[in-house]
């Protein structure tokens, strides 16, 4: 048996994509609540539609409906968490990765006291997980910061955000520390560069005294420092805790062995690693520092920042993996969509309906690379396939394509473990259909559990078990030995 007996099998969700209940019990408006569903945009072209303007935000604020703002309604997990967790337990989940909506705890981000109703809600969720022996892995910030902090400070560009985030984190550690051992600071911290508004609340038209690019790198710096301080507090307040950092693993291949292609792919991989280097190794890598210098970016740092990073490294490295990328020096090469990033089409790989290239071996490569580089425990906290599902007359969903995707990835994961990678868990994205982060669709379905809702919010919200539900149950039961 290649996986440890205590291997954490489960699934991952994020508050803004499942909870709904966006304006009740004191919750403030978050950046996710103004993300709109764009029925006219080609789903393979979404990477080009990440930008949000002040005008778009104002329009969204004025509109209190949920039709075109699906993250406001989610899948109503807020009211149905008991039933949903019960279903996860039925599959045998050992863990559930979930996030806490900052705006439920500090609605605008700057209140003196936290919102007790928000705290009570998460305690109930954790109680329900405990009842089923499901270990929570909690992300403190998963694309859902208070919109007010974006409006007022242009998000993480302002250093003030460090203190506000640390204050929010401390409340979480104090209130939920008895339930939660595994924590993560920022979901896919590297994604600030790909969607600065979603991850860091940065609006381009508000970048006046500094460029958009400077804003992005400055915000990233603030998030690294905030993560390091939160790590310190977490260790102080919850002695047994483990604080991880999280990376979008964007493994990039050269399109050919032309050294120009190789160089481009190397650049892309180094750039991707730099975010984990800072959090796991505790310092900006020299090549990344030079890269910023060459771009003319001079970060505003305080004297102790480097020391804080050095002294408060992440205990483990979590990452998401959906696809690999390919780079080519030839600009005429056909492009392919991906997780908010476009790449060159890899002729050896099939793609999902959303154009993401399916590459199970890429997961093994990623695990080997990451473990070799960092030598800390790893966990795969997102992996899955967005696909269209059909419900047949008997109310069944035969999602063999999803089973095939997951099976191949788990197989490669096991092979990497056999080669010596220290991996302590796998949480697929997502155990239940939810609202897509990038396209705000629900028709891009990831779950083992089907949710009766369409992209405009019509439907009963009824939950149905797909074929993959029974398949994953067996996988967990046999600790990954029976993949079908
Ligand atoms: C990850 C995010 O990058 O990709 C998730 O952390 C997201 O929030 C997932 O849902 C899948 O992307 P999408 O755009 O299909 O929802």
């Amino acid at each position: 048996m290649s996986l440890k007996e205590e291997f954490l099998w489960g699934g991952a969700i994020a508050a803004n994509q499942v909870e709904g209940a966006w304006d009740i019990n004191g919750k403030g408006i978050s950046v996710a609540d103004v993300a709109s569903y764009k029925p006219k945009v080609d789903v393979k072209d979404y990477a080009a539609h990440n930008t949000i303007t002040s005008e778009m935000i104002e329009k969204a604020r004025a509109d209190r409906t949920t039709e075109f703002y699906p993250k406001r309604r989610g899948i109503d997990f807020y009211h149905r968490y008991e039933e949903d967790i019960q279903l996860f337990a039925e599959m045998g989940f050992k863990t559930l990765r979930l996030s806490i909506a900052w705006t439920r705890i500090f609605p605008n981000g700057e209140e003196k006291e936290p919102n007790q109703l928000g705290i009570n809600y998460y305690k109930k969720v954790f109680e329900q997980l405990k009842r089923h022996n499901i270990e929570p892995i909690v992300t403190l910030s998963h694309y859902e910061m208070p919109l007010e902090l974006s409006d007022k400070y242009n998000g993480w560009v302002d250093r003030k955000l460090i203190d506000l985030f640390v204050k929010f984190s401390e409340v979480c550690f104090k209130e939920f520390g008895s339930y939660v051992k595994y924590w993560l600071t920022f979901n896919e911290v590297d994604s600030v560069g790909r969607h600065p508004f979603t991850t860091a609340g940065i609006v381009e038209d508000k970048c006046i005294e500094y460029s958009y690019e400077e804003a992005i790198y400055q915000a990233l710096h603030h998030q690294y420092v905030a993560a390091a301080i939160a790590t310190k507090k977490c260790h102080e307040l919850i002695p047994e805790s483990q604080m991880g950092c999280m990376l979008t693993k964007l493994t990039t291949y050269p399109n050919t062995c032309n050294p120009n292609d190789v160089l481009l792919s190397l650049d892309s991989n180094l750039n991707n690693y730099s975010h984990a280097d800072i959090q796991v190794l505790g310092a900006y890598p020299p090549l990344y520092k030079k890269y910023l210098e060459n771009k003319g970016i001079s970060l505003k740092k305080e004297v102790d920042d480097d020391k804080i990073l050095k002294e408060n490294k992440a205990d483990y490295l979590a990452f998401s993996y959906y696809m690999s990328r390919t780079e080519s020096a030839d600009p005429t090469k056909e492009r392919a969509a991906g997780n908010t990033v476009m790449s060159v089409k890899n002729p050896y790989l099939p793609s999902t309906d959303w154009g993401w290239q399916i590459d199970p071996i890429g997961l093994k490569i990623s695990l080997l690379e990451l473990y070799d580089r960092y030598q800390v425990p790893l966990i795969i906290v997102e992996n899955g396939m967005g696909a269209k599902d059909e419900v047949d007359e008997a109310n069944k969903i035969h999602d063999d394509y999803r089973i095939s995707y997951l099976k191949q990835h788990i197989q490669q994961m096991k092979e990497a473990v056999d080669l010596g990678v220290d991996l302590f868990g796998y949480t697929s994205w997502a155990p239940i259909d939810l609202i897509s982060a990038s396209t705000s669709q629900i028709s891009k379905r990831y779950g083992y559990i089907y949710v009766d809702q369409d992209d405009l919010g019509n439907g009963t919200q009824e939950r149905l078990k797909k074929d993959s539900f029974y398949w994953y149950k067996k996988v967990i039961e046999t600790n990954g030995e029976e993949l079908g």
Side-chain angles (χ1 to χ4, degrees):
M1 202 176 265
S2 54
L3 302 174
K4 296 174 199 160
E5 230 176 278
E6 61 279 14
F7 190 77
L8 291 175
W9 288 102
I13 54 177
N16 76 93
Q17 294 171 259
V18 297
E19 285 177 3
W22 71 295
D23 59 352
I24 68 165
N25 290 336
K27 182 184 171 295
I29 184 164
S30 80
V31 292
D33 296 325
V34 298
S36 73
Y37 165 50
K38 305 178 188 86
K40 292 196 182 121
V41 173
D42 181 340
V43 291
K44 295 196 178 133
D45 202 20
Y46 251 80
H49 289 82
N50 286 329
T51 317
I52 190 148
T53 62
S54 296
E55 200 186 325
M56 287 155 86
I57 295 170
E58 239 166 76
K59 190 171 156 230
R61 265 194 189 278
D63 184 344
R64 304 292 296 176
T65 64
T66 63
E67 192 179 12
F68 288 101
Y69 299 99
K71 288 176 188 156
R72 295 178 179 181
R73 63 173 177 268
I75 53 163
D76 199 27
F77 182 82
Y78 188 83
H79 295 109
R80 294 167 184 259
Y81 69 89
E82 285 184 311
E83 178 197 346
D84 291 342
I85 291 173
Q86 168 77 45
L87 286 165
F88 301 155
E90 220 183 289
M91 275 186 277
F93 275 28
K94 311 268 186 256
T95 188
L96 179 72
R97 174 179 172 233
L98 69 168
S99 68
I100 292 178
W102 188 344
T103 48
R104 282 203 198 282
I105 310 296
F106 287 104
N108 291 328
E110 287 191 292
E111 290 81 358
K112 276 208 172 82
E113 296 302 325
N115 171 30
Q116 194 56 45
L117 292 176
I119 293 173
N120 296 349
Y121 164 68
Y122 287 108
K123 282 195 173 161
K124 284 191 285 179
V125 173
F126 293 133
E127 279 292 344
Q128 175 71 349
L129 289 172
K130 198 172 162 188
R131 237 170 264 136
H132 290 288
N133 286 323
I134 298 177
E135 176 94 52
I137 300 176
V138 171
T139 314
L140 288 161
S141 179
H142 192 137
Y143 301 164
E144 53 219 337
M145 63 179 286
L147 183 61
E148 200 73 16
L149 299 181
S150 163
D151 289 351
K152 217 163 150 187
Y153 302 111
N154 208 11
W156 279 89
V157 184
D158 196 308
R159 194 172 173 100
K160 203 177 174 75
L161 268 282
I162 298 179
D163 289 343
L164 296 173
F165 176 79
V166 170
K167 184 173 165 190
F168 157 65
S169 307
E170 277 190 272
V171 170
C172 293
F173 301 148
K174 283 182 188 148
E175 297 289 346
F176 312 131
S178 60
Y179 301 98
V180 185
K181 172 179 166 194
Y182 293 104
W183 296 85
L184 286 167
T185 44
F186 295 92
N187 181 63
E188 301 182 330
V189 68
D190 51 288
S191 66
V192 179
R194 298 193 299 281
H195 34 78
F197 178 72
T198 312
T199 317
I202 304 170
V203 180
E204 186 172 3
D205 60 58
K206 284 194 181 162
C207 298
I208 295 162
E209 288 151 31
Y210 40 80
S211 71
Y212 194 34
E213 200 174 36
E214 278 169 329
I216 289 168
Y217 288 104
Q218 190 62 50
L220 269 165
H221 178 69
H222 292 153
Q223 293 199 346
Y224 303 138
V225 174
I229 301 174
T231 302
K232 183 170 191 277
K233 301 272 181 203
C234 184
H235 289 152
E236 284 167 6
L237 292 165
I238 320 169
E240 297 296 295
S241 62
Q242 295 277 304
M243 177 60 92
C245 68
M246 186 193 163
L247 186 71
T248 325
K249 186 66 179 87
L250 296 169
T251 301
T252 306
Y253 307 140
N255 188 51
T256 67
C257 51
N258 176 335
N260 286 318
D261 289 358
V262 177
L263 196 56
L264 274 178
S265 69
L266 177 71
D267 269 359
S268 165
N269 285 318
L270 289 181
N271 193 294
N272 188 229
Y273 282 135
S274 54
H275 306 277
D277 288 352
I278 295 166
Q279 296 179 88
V280 180
L281 306 178
Y284 276 66
L287 293 183
Y288 186 58
K289 278 202 230 167
K290 192 70 191 167
Y291 166 83
L292 293 179
E293 196 186 310
N294 290 344
K295 274 176 164 297
I297 299 207
S298 117
L299 295 177
K300 289 191 194 77
K301 286 187 178 180
E302 287 199 354
V303 272
D304 274 350
D305 285 2
D306 287 333
K307 189 166 170 266
I308 291 169
L309 295 176
K310 184 106 247 148
E311 288 175 358
N312 302 287
K313 299 181 224 170
D315 300 314
Y316 65 95
L317 173 59
F319 68 99
S320 59
Y321 176 86
Y322 291 90
M323 33 143 265
S324 59
R325 307 181 60 224
T326 305
E327 281 290 2
S328 166
D330 177 354
T332 64
K333 287 276 169 201
E334 190 192 343
R335 311 284 290 171
N339 191 357
T340 61
V341 62
M342 297 291 285
S343 307
V344 165
K345 175 118 194 61
N346 184 330
Y348 300 99
L349 299 177
S351 301
T352 70
D353 292 343
W354 273 258
W356 298 19
Q357 305 185 87
I358 303 174
D359 181 13
I361 297 176
L363 177 59
K364 181 171 168 183
I365 294 170
S366 303
L367 281 161
L368 293 169
E369 283 180 354
L370 288 173
Y371 192 60
D372 186 55
R373 189 176 183 100
Y374 299 113
Q375 294 170 29
V376 293
L378 303 180
I379 178 166
I380 300 165
V381 288
E382 289 186 31
N383 172 236
M385 179 191 188
K388 291 179 195 136
D389 288 335
E390 294 287 333
V391 184
D392 73 9
E393 288 121 39
N395 255 2
K396 301 276 180 236
I397 301 108
H398 304 298
D399 56 340
D400 44 313
Y401 35 89
R402 183 169 294 108
I403 295 174
S404 160
Y405 175 101
L406 293 166
K407 177 178 157 179
Q408 292 178 63
H409 283 77
I410 292 174
Q411 184 58 44
Q412 294 298 325
M413 167 185 102
K414 283 171 50 185
E415 287 179 24
V417 171
D418 285 340
L419 292 173
V421 171
D422 180 3
L423 183 75
F424 68 99
Y426 173 87
T427 61
S428 62
W429 187 271
I432 186 164
D433 295 344
L434 41 63
I435 311 297
S436 155
S438 60
T439 67
S440 289
Q441 296 171 294
I442 193 169
S443 55
K444 184 182 195 185
R445 296 180 184 273
Y446 282 92
Y448 305 115
I449 301 163
Y450 183 90
V451 176
D452 180 28
Q453 186 190 147
D454 71 12
D455 287 337
L456 293 170
N458 307 303
T460 61
Q461 303 286 355
E462 190 194 353
R463 277 48 173 161
L464 296 173
K465 296 170 190 170
K466 304 181 193 176
D467 286 357
S468 57
F469 181 99
Y470 304 98
W471 170 81
Y472 197 46
K473 184 174 188 310
K474 191 83 195 159
V475 171
I476 298 179
E477 217 170 81
T478 60
N479 201 20
E481 288 301 296
E482 268 190 47
L483 295 179

